[in-house]
Amino acid sequence: MLSPWLVLPLLTIGLAAVLPVLFFRRKSSTLRMAWLMSVFPATAFGLLLWLSSQVSPGKPVTIQLEWLPSLNLSLSLYLDNLSALFALMVTGIGTLVVIYTGYYFRKDTSAWQFLAYLLLFMTSMLGLVMAGDIITLFIFWEGTSITSFLLIGYKYKTEDARQSAFKALFITGGGGIALLAGLIWIASIAGGTDYATILASGNALRGSPYYPIILGLVALGALTKSAQTPAHFWLPAAMAAPTPASAFLHSATMVKAGIYLLARLNPSLGYTELWFYLLTGVGIITMLVGAYLGFKQNDLKALLAYSTICQLGVMVAMIGQDIEIAYKALVISVLAHSLYKSALFMTAGIVDHETGTRDLRRLGGLARLMPKTSAVALVAGLSMAGLPPLFGFLAKETLLATSLHPSLPPIIGALFPWAAVAAGALLLAQSGLFVYDVFFGKPSDLQHPAKGHEPPAGMWLMPAIPAVLSLAIGLLPEPERLASFLAGAAGDAFGSPVKVSLALWTGLSAPLALSIVAIFSGCILFIFRHRLRPAMQTLLPAIQLNAVYNAVLQGIDRGAELVTRLQRGQLRFYLAIMLTSLGILIVLFQAIPLRYLNDLLPSTPVAPGRLDLLRIFTLGLAVLSSLITVFLRRDLYAILALSISGLAVALWIALEPAPDVALVQIIVDMLATVILVLSLTRLPRPQREKARELTFRQSRPGLLRDGLIAVGSGLLVATLVYVSLSTRPHTSLVSPFYAANAKPLTGAKDIVGAILVDFRSFDTLFEIMVFAAAGLGIHMLLHYAARKAGDQEEPDPRPLAPDEHPALGVGGLPTSSLLHLLAYSLLPLAMLLAVIEMMYGHDQPGDGFTAGIVISLAVGFWYVIFGYHFTKKQLPWLRSGYLIAVGILIGLINGLLSTLFGTGFLSPVDYGSMLNLPLPSGFNLSNSFLFEVAICLTVLGSATYILDNLGRPKEADPESDALLRTIEEETIPQSGRRSA
């Protein structure tokens, strides 16, 4: 069923992620902000409840946006019972965590940043579980990796947080790359990227000879995300994140992403022996590793982290089965784990927040000081231990029932039940450590006991809600709607209907007997914990996976060091390698077949026409001026010769004729000449002399080598281009379309203009963003680098009268009144020309790009004649950063308006005709004109950034000084600053 309402939950939380950045950057009450932000995930939770009520078996709620129809690619959302289960957990527990965050950071007025990260994380996870195709899923999959990196590294000033965040990103990101390859393979075999196509292609996927590779790639991505052994070690390290992030990450997000993906793809990739043994084996091993390592921990959050690893192993093992009861156990385990683990993590955060420690050895007897928190911990801990009448007991019972199923192979059937009993016993002992030792026992470290007090009611109520739900589901009569909903989720993962009952008591049975054994064994472990835990520190030591991880990073660093030995900082050396490699590749892959070499010269001479003679002249001029740049010793003369070569190329283009491209080539050549000349002022003379010596004082073998490389590369490229042009099809499919549709569809007489701002407007939008990034990049590289190097040039303290002009321009060159008059006349003329180009660029050569460059060149002339400070004083509107921002903003708003009034983003819309405006002949107030204005402003801002910073990169400004002070404070030790 199609429903546009499906977008609202995602948009609601996405909007909430933006609000802290927009409105709460100033000091404000974190608690008030958190309560306000919690309204958004709560609203999304309500919307999802309503939408999930419209889901029926085999009829999910969907919405689809075509992306690349020719490739059958789309972006879509998809809600069935399985995705609704995870989406409701994300938004429901997310609401509680957001409120809890307000209390946790109530004294930190800068916590708006953490809230923004948390809501972005929630948006990514919600998009992941609601994705209706693998492209959308992967986009949000990577979003969870990036946002979890921000959350784990939130306390970035500590080394532990930075290292842990990178470890999580490195491992889950590496798995994400493998997952992408597997998903692309799946789409190529299934013939589509949407779930409906993929889920219906199970036989084709399982029957493919590439099935083992596909399964390995997908499993690698999912298992690293869900912290399965041996990739589990990133999850305990992620405890460097603040507790609200840990509670959310462990209970409803991040680690559940891999579980969801495997469950979603089970109908397509499951039901094979390879699927069964891979997931069952990895799941059982992870279950035992997490349970064993968790019992050894002294840190509360580490203990809970390893118990999460244990439960994730259980879920993966359940997905590996091909029996109905396993998927009943899966959905019950997913929900039960989310409820009690969110409650326990938030309780651990309360203990840490109110006592200042998470060390079990210092904690004890807190029930007298924190009775309400201890009650919450008791209920949640009993559910984790798998004791009746808590919901966790039902999760353990269904796990044991699955492990005893008669259809399991003999080896698994013999090992699985006792592995489940061992894990259950260890989890019960861990629950005892968390509940009894912290709240009712005595601290083992009597010299440094922790003391605390009850938190505010709102803080302990947040973990109390999921804890009470765990108790209510077990005590109250079986909720039929919940059972039916979980049955639907299990059926979506299993691929056929599954019956789910939430009754705790089903009579005496083998699973109940094993449960009693697990409870009894767990009690024994807990009673003798003071003897067992110290012995376990040396008994069966865990594989030093962190050492393996560090060794991998060191290997990458050494490989990078070997590669960077080629980085000598010499352009000549880099060009020699690239050109030589190009020649070798062309020869190896026979890019120029030998049969074409005989056709390089025409068989019969052709008499050149008049234009051909002019083309030959311009070509010779371009070649000769390029050759002259090699022999000229003065850099300025070489730049001028290079400029002549560019102008010759522009003339050649104009003769084709391609006036639009020729105009762009001319103005870009002029701007490049100005930039290169200004760059000479930034290069120290010794460095320029050293480069000159490298060029003109080489040995004869060196000159011969460079000459051969240059001549050979030129001939090779020329031959390659000639062969490519002469052998390609001469009938174009695209050009006739543009020629036939430019005027009817866009109203443009100029085809090039129509292509740039109409047919390929999205490309142009990104191109101006790239141009803006280039200007900002030069600003960062030159301006801040010069300031950091100690270069500082204060402005001229002598004020100028309004009518007084500087006598000296750039470089102390004298200027005259004639040049002043020329500068004053040139700028308005350039602006007038730019406006005309933007107004009539749809019908004549010219566009926003050339308009921006023309104004920039006029501003550059002002800079040369009047100097930097006078120009800035007389042209206060010349603020590069604001010009870039306004230009890009106009471009985006113009695209949105086109979406509202046209047929799509940046589609043609004639606002003048729509509003019946009296406009000059030939001018249309359309979205194309607005886009040209956006391009002009962005290019003008970027070009003036380049000109300003090449001319005066040393000028002081408060932003640079503040940045430098921050860098010094973070990098220079305190003792070093005192000694300095």
Side-chain angles (χ1 to χ4, degrees):
M1 180 180 68
L2 294 174
S3 176
W5 296 100
L6 199 58
V7 181
L8 283 183
L10 201 59
L11 290 180
T12 300
I13 301 181
L15 175 63
V18 177
L19 289 180
V21 180
L22 295 179
F23 299 106
F24 296 107
R25 296 187 64 175
R26 299 179 182 271
K27 292 184 178 180
S28 58
S29 171
T30 303
L31 183 58
R32 188 183 304 114
M33 176 173 40
W35 275 101
L36 176 62
M37 293 297 99
S38 68
V39 173
F40 293 88
T43 303
F45 180 81
L47 288 169
L48 286 166
L49 272 179
W50 171 64
L51 288 167
S52 63
S53 65
Q54 302 180 32
V55 173
S56 58
K59 295 181 179 180
V61 179
T62 62
I63 186 171
Q64 182 171 312
L65 173 66
E66 287 190 350
W67 178 32
L68 295 175
S70 60
L71 298 179
N72 197 24
L73 297 179
S74 61
L75 303 176
S76 57
L77 298 179
Y78 182 97
L79 190 75
D80 60 359
N81 286 310
L82 179 63
S83 57
L85 170 63
F86 284 86
L88 289 170
M89 290 191 306
V90 170
T91 52
I93 294 176
T95 302
L96 303 178
V97 171
V98 168
I99 299 173
Y100 177 84
T101 300
Y103 288 96
Y104 191 86
F105 288 105
R106 63 182 181 272
K107 295 181 181 180
D108 185 357
T109 57
S110 64
W112 62 267
Q113 191 174 9
F114 181 85
L115 270 175
Y117 292 162
L118 186 67
L119 289 164
L120 281 174
F121 185 44
M122 193 185 305
T123 305
S124 299
M125 186 64 192
L126 184 61
L128 188 155
V129 300
M130 291 180 62
D133 61 275
I134 57 177
I135 302 297
T136 307
L137 178 138
F138 183 77
I139 292 172
F140 286 109
W141 182 280
E142 292 302 290
T144 60
S145 295
I146 295 170
T147 49
S148 66
F149 170 81
L150 296 174
L151 287 171
I152 297 169
Y154 178 70
K155 300 176 181 178
Y156 63 91
K157 292 186 178 180
T158 63
E159 179 69 17
D160 184 41
R162 294 196 297 269
Q163 294 291 340
S164 299
F166 178 77
K167 182 183 296 184
L169 183 64
F170 181 80
I171 295 173
T172 60
I177 295 173
L179 174 64
L180 177 61
L183 293 178
I184 293 174
W185 222 321
I186 288 175
S188 65
I189 294 175
T193 60
D194 59 295
Y195 284 154
T197 302
I198 292 173
L199 295 178
S201 305
N203 292 332
L205 290 168
R206 288 186 288 266
S208 170
Y210 303 108
Y211 172 76
I213 302 175
I214 295 172
L215 176 57
L217 292 171
V218 172
L220 182 60
L223 298 180
T224 53
K225 197 82 160 184
S226 288
Q228 299 297 292
T229 303
H232 66 273
F233 62 97
W234 72 263
L235 190 57
M239 295 303 97
T243 301
S246 301
F248 198 36
L249 187 149
H250 280 255
S251 60
T253 55
M254 189 69 169
V255 294
K256 295 287 177 65
I259 302 299
Y260 170 78
L261 178 64
L262 291 174
R264 170 59 68 202
L265 295 180
N266 176 64
S268 298
L269 299 179
Y271 308 110
T272 64
E273 289 191 2
L274 183 57
W275 176 274
F276 171 80
Y277 283 107
L278 176 63
L279 298 191
T280 304
V282 171
I284 292 176
I285 293 171
T286 303
M287 176 179 67
L288 292 174
V289 168
Y292 171 77
L293 295 178
F295 191 55
K296 299 167 58 173
Q297 305 303 313
N298 291 315
D299 183 279
L300 279 182
K301 287 177 66 174
L303 182 149
L304 294 176
Y306 280 106
S307 69
T308 296
I309 292 171
C310 174
Q311 292 298 319
L312 293 171
V314 170
M315 298 173 199
V316 169
M318 294 299 98
I319 298 173
Q321 311 303 305
D322 57 358
I323 50 180
E324 178 182 336
I325 193 173
Y327 287 85
K328 171 186 175 181
L330 171 66
V331 295
I332 291 176
S333 296
V334 166
L335 181 57
H337 176 263
S338 294
L339 292 176
Y340 70 68
K341 191 52 63 74
S342 61
L344 288 173
F345 260 108
M346 286 190 275
T347 303
I350 291 173
V351 171
D352 184 21
H353 195 270
E354 305 303 331
T355 65
T357 183
R358 300 195 306 260
D359 193 337
L360 279 168
R361 292 163 294 192
R362 296 182 56 197
L363 295 170
L366 294 182
R368 299 188 307 274
L369 305 173
M370 309 166 68
K372 298 173 184 176
T373 303
S374 65
V376 173
L378 177 63
V379 175
L382 292 176
S383 185
M384 174 176 155
L387 296 176
L390 278 302
F391 193 28
F393 172 74
L394 182 59
K396 185 180 68 174
E397 289 292 289
T398 52
L399 164 65
L400 292 171
T402 303
S403 69
L404 292 170
H405 199 276
S407 65
L408 294 177
I411 298 178
I412 301 297
L415 295 177
F416 199 177
W418 298 111
V421 168
L426 286 166
L427 281 180
L428 187 146
Q430 292 178 41
S431 302
L433 292 174
F434 188 94
V435 177
Y436 182 83
D437 284 4
V438 172
F439 294 97
F440 302 100
K442 294 181 180 180
S444 57
D445 187 356
L446 297 176
Q447 295 181 352
H448 305 91
K451 296 181 180 181
H453 54 81
E454 196 74 88
M459 194 171 189
W460 63 261
L461 273 174
M462 295 307 105
I465 293 173
V468 169
L469 285 175
S470 295
L471 181 61
I473 294 174
L475 282 179
L476 298 178
E478 181 177 354
E480 294 183 4
R481 290 193 62 181
L482 178 60
S484 175
F485 174 68
L486 292 177
D492 291 334
F494 186 54
S496 57
V498 174
K499 182 179 179 181
V500 173
S501 172
L502 300 180
L504 290 183
W505 176 255
T506 57
L508 297 175
S509 60
L512 179 62
L514 286 181
S515 181
I516 295 173
V517 173
I519 294 172
F520 179 76
S521 303
C523 292
I524 297 297
L525 290 173
F526 179 71
I527 292 171
F528 293 99
R529 64 191 181 282
H530 297 301
R531 296 182 181 179
L532 292 175
R533 277 162 47 85
M536 290 174 66
Q537 301 298 329
T538 56
L539 181 65
L540 296 176
I543 300 174
Q544 295 299 316
L545 293 173
N546 281 307
V548 176
Y549 165 78
N550 292 330
V552 170
L553 291 185
Q554 290 175 3
I556 294 174
D557 289 340
R558 289 174 182 172
E561 183 180 355
L562 291 174
V563 172
T564 53
R565 288 182 180 178
L566 297 175
Q567 305 295 322
R568 297 184 180 180
Q570 297 177 3
L571 183 60
R572 178 188 305 276
F573 180 71
Y574 300 153
L575 285 173
I577 291 179
M578 288 188 290
L579 294 174
T580 305
S581 301
L582 175 64
I584 294 173
L585 290 175
I586 289 176
V587 172
L588 286 178
F589 292 96
Q590 296 185 358
I592 306 177
L594 296 178
R595 66 178 183 272
Y596 290 124
L597 297 180
N598 296 327
D599 300 332
L600 290 180
L601 295 175
S603 56
T604 58
V606 179
R610 294 180 181 179
L611 289 181
D612 291 332
L613 292 175
L614 189 54
R615 289 189 180 97
I616 294 172
F617 170 75
T618 56
L619 180 61
L621 181 61
V623 173
L624 181 62
S625 56
S626 299
L627 185 62
I628 289 174
T629 62
V630 177
F631 298 100
L632 289 174
R633 293 178 177 268
R634 293 290 300 272
D635 296 324
L636 179 60
Y637 297 159
I639 291 173
L640 294 177
L642 182 64
S643 177
I644 294 173
S645 176
L647 293 175
V649 172
L651 180 58
W652 177 283
I653 296 173
L655 293 173
E656 283 305 312
D660 296 83
V661 183
L663 179 60
V664 172
Q665 171 66 21
I666 291 171
I667 62 169
V668 169
D669 184 82
M670 296 170 64
L671 181 63
T673 302
V674 173
I675 290 175
L676 289 173
V677 171
L678 288 175
S679 300
L680 292 180
T681 64
R682 303 268 53 87
L683 292 175
R685 182 172 295 276
Q687 186 175 356
R688 291 165 59 184
E689 292 178 352
K690 182 179 179 181
R692 192 176 294 117
E693 290 179 0
L694 188 65
T695 302
F696 294 103
R697 297 184 181 179
Q698 292 190 84
S699 62
R700 288 187 177 181
L703 287 172
L704 179 61
R705 177 201 61 209
D706 292 347
L708 289 175
I709 292 176
V711 174
S713 301
L715 292 174
L716 195 62
V717 172
T719 305
L720 181 63
V721 172
Y722 180 85
V723 171
S724 300
L725 292 176
S726 59
T727 58
R728 70 176 182 176
H730 292 283
T731 302
S732 173
L733 298 178
V734 178
S735 298
F737 171 82
Y738 288 145
N741 294 282
K743 183 64 176 177
L745 297 181
T746 69
K749 296 180 182 178
D750 186 69
I751 298 177
V752 175
I755 293 173
L756 291 177
V757 296
D758 291 302
F759 291 114
R760 302 188 63 180
S761 53
F762 207 60
D763 291 349
T764 304
L765 181 63
F766 275 100
E767 286 170 4
I768 64 172
M769 290 182 178
V770 170
F771 199 88
L776 293 170
I778 291 176
H779 176 70
M780 293 294 295
L781 290 173
L782 290 181
H783 198 78
Y784 291 126
R787 298 282 292 118
K788 187 176 180 181
D791 295 341
Q792 187 168 353
E793 183 176 348
E794 298 295 338
D796 190 351
R798 296 172 297 174
L800 291 173
D803 58 346
E804 184 180 356
H805 305 115
L808 300 178
V810 170
L813 297 175
T815 60
S816 66
S817 299
L818 179 61
L819 291 177
H820 293 171
L821 178 61
L822 183 60
Y824 277 123
S825 303
L826 186 61
L827 182 58
L829 288 175
M831 289 184 172
L832 179 61
L833 177 61
V835 171
I836 293 174
E837 286 186 340
M838 289 185 289
M839 290 177 62
Y840 300 101
H842 236 161
D843 294 335
Q844 302 294 334
D847 53 23
F849 182 84
T850 57
I853 298 296
V854 166
I855 300 175
S856 301
L857 290 172
V859 171
F861 190 64
W862 266 59
Y863 173 78
V864 172
I865 300 302
F866 297 128
Y868 176 84
H869 296 293
F870 184 82
T871 301
K872 287 295 185 182
K873 181 180 179 181
Q874 294 297 109
L875 304 177
W877 51 267
L878 195 61
R879 304 183 67 176
S880 304
Y882 286 99
L883 290 172
I884 292 174
V886 172
I888 293 178
L889 185 62
I890 291 176
L892 294 175
I893 293 175
N894 182 45
L896 294 176
L897 290 175
S898 302
T899 306
L900 292 176
F901 299 107
T903 58
F905 191 77
L906 289 174
S907 60
V909 179
D910 191 342
Y911 299 110
S913 300
M914 186 184 302
L915 301 174
N916 293 321
L917 297 177
L919 299 173
S921 176
F923 170 59
N924 296 317
L925 182 59
S926 61
N927 74 308
S928 301
F929 170 72
L930 296 178
F931 195 26
E932 298 284 15
V933 173
I935 295 170
C936 175
L937 293 176
T938 306
V939 170
L940 176 60
S942 303
T944 52
Y945 245 147
I946 296 171
L947 294 173
D948 288 348
N949 286 280
L950 284 172
R952 298 279 294 209
K954 300 183 290 184
E955 184 189 8
D957 67 81
E959 187 182 27
S960 301
D961 293 336
L963 178 62
L964 293 174
R965 283 196 299 268
T966 302
I967 294 173
E968 290 175 357
E969 290 173 358
E970 293 182 358
T971 56
I972 299 178
Q974 295 290 337
S975 58
R977 288 205 295 270
R978 284 196 297 268
S979 62

